[in-house]
Amino acid sequence: MIVLWVILALLALLFLLPYGVDVGYREEKFFLKVKAGPLRIPLIPAREKTPEEKAARERKKQEKAAKKKEKRAGNAEKEGGEAPKEEKTARGKSLFSKAGAADYLELAGAALRAVKRIFRSFRTDYLYLRCTVSTPDPCDTALLYGRLCALVEILLDEKQGLLRVKKQDVYIDTDYLRGSIWAEGEIVISAALWRLVGAALILGVEFLRWRGALKKKDAGTERTDDHGRE
């Protein structure tokens, strides 16, 4: 019983922990990290491997290639004796081919609602941005600076902003002498696993509901055709 409670606690912890990415460009270097709770696993730039790790990776590649070669040889020997696999029935294929534009628009609407739910599940934990706006023309510099500030206001407004940002450090200025734009930034995005799973389940339920309605519609059409022939 204790083991069961421990397993349930671990599953609950996995579902409640935030997962996400930490991506940015700083000091002329691009980096990407995967976030799992308090852990951050760097993907770019990759950690330099030791000679032992390189040799082990090379051995694994050779073993994998040898296994693939053996599998292909075995499949080649079986090709003559095995009967070809049965293709999907025409009815299974024709179900989706009978769907009209209105049916696919309904499915697209359901998918869009699910995507919006997934997007709202993500939270911006941290946003860092430093940008110096500068172009050869001072008028263009002023216009670009105003547009960029307006865009940041739309994204980060506390009440009506498109992004929910927990912590931000954003600063934009101008330089009429530099002649080129300079920028660096970082963003940390995360979401609880249960929110993503819930959004995926909703998408699956919407698809099954749409498919069921399509089957009923197809069955009704076939009955009408049968009565017409009678």
Side-chain angles (χ1 to χ4, degrees):
M1 191 67 181
I2 296 176
V3 176
L4 179 61
W5 281 111
V6 171
I7 294 173
L8 290 175
L10 289 175
L11 288 175
L13 183 62
L14 288 175
F15 269 83
L16 293 175
L17 278 178
Y19 298 87
V21 294
D22 180 359
V23 59
Y25 179 80
R26 287 197 183 195
E27 298 178 358
E28 299 182 354
K29 291 181 181 179
F30 177 77
F31 62 88
L32 172 64
K33 300 176 185 177
V34 175
K35 178 184 175 185
L39 301 178
R40 280 181 170 80
I41 305 170
L43 298 180
I44 301 174
R47 181 178 62 86
E48 188 67 24
K49 291 181 172 60
T50 62
E52 292 80 6
E53 290 175 335
K54 290 180 180 178
R57 186 177 181 183
E58 190 64 28
R59 284 196 301 271
K60 286 182 179 180
K61 281 185 178 180
Q62 292 175 359
E63 291 174 0
K64 193 174 182 180
K67 287 180 180 179
K68 281 186 177 180
K69 191 174 181 181
E70 291 176 2
K71 189 175 180 181
R72 287 173 184 171
N75 291 338
E77 292 177 359
K78 292 179 180 179
E79 276 182 0
E82 289 185 355
K85 294 181 179 180
E86 294 183 1
E87 296 183 355
K88 292 181 179 179
T89 61
R91 183 176 180 82
K93 289 183 178 180
S94 64
L95 180 63
F96 293 99
S97 63
K98 290 179 180 180
D103 298 319
Y104 282 110
L105 283 175
E106 183 181 352
L107 179 61
L112 184 60
R113 289 192 296 271
V115 169
K116 286 182 178 179
R117 182 180 289 271
I118 292 174
F119 182 77
R120 286 196 297 267
S121 299
F122 283 95
R123 182 186 67 184
T124 305
D125 297 321
Y126 177 65
L127 177 64
Y128 167 83
L129 177 64
R130 290 288 184 274
C131 182
T132 300
V133 181
S134 181
T135 65
D137 189 343
C139 294
D140 292 339
T141 299
L143 287 172
L144 184 58
Y145 173 75
R147 290 171 181 171
L148 187 58
C149 289
L151 177 61
V152 170
E153 185 69 21
I154 291 172
L155 292 174
L156 304 180
D157 184 71
E158 293 184 1
K159 294 183 178 180
Q160 299 180 348
L162 298 178
L163 295 178
R164 296 183 300 155
V165 182
K166 186 176 180 181
K167 183 180 178 182
Q168 57 179 289
D169 184 6
V170 178
Y171 181 75
I172 304 171
D173 64 353
T174 58
D175 186 343
Y176 292 97
L177 301 177
R178 181 184 179 90
S180 61
I181 297 176
W182 172 87
E184 66 176 17
E186 178 183 359
I187 185 169
V188 181
I189 301 173
S190 65
L193 184 59
W194 68 270
R195 289 182 177 272
L196 299 178
V197 172
L201 287 175
I202 290 174
L203 178 60
V205 169
E206 290 286 350
F207 174 76
L208 292 176
R209 187 180 299 170
W210 175 83
R211 192 168 181 269
L214 191 61
K215 279 186 176 181
K216 288 182 180 179
K217 182 179 178 181
D218 183 37
T221 304
E222 287 182 357
R223 290 196 202 97
T224 304
D225 293 341
D226 292 342
H227 289 314
R229 283 193 293 271
E230 289 173 1

